[in-house]
Amino acid sequence: MSPRGKGPDFSEYTGPRRRAPAPVKPRPAFGRTFWGKAFVRVVEEIGDKPRVTRGRTYARSGQVLALDIEPGVVTAEVQGSQLQPFVSTLSIDTLDQSDIDDIITKIRRVPGSLAALVSGTVPDMLAAQLIPDGPSAFRFDCTCPDVGWPCKHAAAVAFLTAEQIDTDPLRLLRLRGVDLEQLIGGVEDESTVPVDVENWFGIAAALPALPKVQFRPAIDDLDIRRLREAVAALGLDMAQQNVALDEIRSIYRRLDG
């Protein structure tokens, strides 16, 4: 198969498809989960509707063999009308580091999302990074003579890929080149505080110096006029009042010290 081209008519060499000896058996319907539906939706946007429809039929009838998902590529054997099955591939670009950093940032911001990933659930909020933008993100290839884009064998691989993502959404992460351990490490690098087990209680910790506070006697916060009135009520003259106020200031300084 060559992409989007026209070539010779091989219809005279085709016949009824042969029954696959050990098919990858799909569920009754493709796209049963959020991620599977999103993937199928992109596949169904491909312009060559008849080939896409035949690909769905091939996938559902068990013509796809030994499907393998690796970063950036899905490879499978598809039993057609020939004696030997065709080798079909679906390729897609893996995510670059900036996309992976965006995923890590989103996981950090949403409590529980990392735990969900570890348990095998991919949060819907990562759709912008993981779901292909459209059919143009796909590249198809097949050893069959059909020059359509995609041929029915490659389209079948796309539908079975959606089925595998339905079963295990972490396979979509693998297809886009995202390593789960890398995500976990990226999130924990930011959120984990290193602990010195040798100094568990912080006895040997170096503490910052205390700020230097400018001395201000508490008496300065009092209303000196009312304080003088209180001292004068004791029958003291002005000189005695001044002495009494000085003594009070001295007492406050000792208390503040």
Side-chain angles (χ1 to χ4, degrees):
M1 184 191 79
S2 59
R4 302 181 186 276
K6 290 186 178 180
D9 181 11
F10 291 96
S11 59
E12 62 180 294
Y13 302 105
T14 62
R17 62 178 181 267
R18 296 176 181 271
R19 186 175 182 83
V24 178
K25 295 182 179 179
R27 301 188 205 180
F30 303 109
R32 298 166 62 93
T33 66
F34 171 84
W35 293 106
K37 288 177 182 177
F39 199 88
V40 166
R41 192 156 47 243
V42 178
V43 175
E44 290 178 338
E45 290 175 1
I46 295 173
D48 196 336
K49 301 301 180 186
R51 283 184 169 87
V52 172
T53 300
R54 289 196 292 273
R56 182 192 288 270
T57 301
Y58 260 56
R60 184 169 287 150
S61 61
Q63 298 302 115
V64 179
L65 315 175
L67 184 135
D68 180 55
I69 298 178
E70 296 294 336
V73 62
V74 182
T75 306
E77 292 184 340
V78 183
Q79 183 65 61
S81 59
Q82 307 301 310
L83 290 175
Q84 296 298 322
F86 300 114
V87 177
S88 301
T89 61
L90 179 156
S91 301
I92 187 172
D93 290 338
T94 56
L95 300 186
D96 58 26
Q97 189 58 49
S98 64
D99 288 322
I100 294 175
D101 290 342
D102 287 342
I103 290 175
I104 291 174
T105 299
K106 287 183 176 180
I107 294 172
R108 284 178 186 153
R109 290 175 178 171
V110 180
S113 56
L114 181 60
L117 271 172
V118 173
S119 67
T121 301
V122 180
D124 298 359
M125 65 179 179
L126 303 182
Q129 281 76 29
L130 297 178
I131 296 299
D133 293 335
S136 60
F138 293 144
R139 297 182 297 278
F140 297 101
D141 195 16
C142 186
T143 58
C144 78
D146 188 354
V147 295
W149 187 94
C151 68
K152 56 182 176 287
H153 313 104
V157 173
F159 282 110
L160 255 297
T161 301
E163 160 63 21
Q164 295 296 304
I165 292 171
D166 268 336
T167 304
D168 180 5
L170 291 180
R171 288 173 179 165
L172 179 57
L173 265 67
R174 180 169 180 78
L175 178 59
R176 301 311 304 269
V178 181
D179 181 74
L180 182 58
E181 294 300 323
Q182 180 185 5
L183 292 184
I184 295 172
V187 174
E188 290 182 344
D189 284 347
E190 180 74 12
S191 60
T192 301
V193 177
V195 176
D196 183 1
V197 294
E198 300 297 330
N199 184 33
W200 186 262
F201 296 102
I203 297 174
L207 300 177
L210 294 175
K212 187 176 181 180
V213 180
Q214 184 178 2
F215 174 74
R216 177 182 174 84
I219 194 172
D220 290 349
D221 294 327
L222 299 178
D223 185 337
I224 194 63
R225 182 177 57 85
R226 292 186 177 276
L227 184 59
R228 185 176 288 276
E229 290 176 354
V231 173
L234 299 175
L236 303 177
D237 59 25
M238 184 63 69
Q240 292 172 325
Q241 292 174 21
N242 291 335
V243 172
L245 291 176
D246 287 340
E247 290 178 351
I248 293 174
R249 288 190 179 93
S250 177
I251 293 171
Y252 269 105
R253 285 193 176 91
R254 287 197 295 270
L255 292 175
D256 288 335

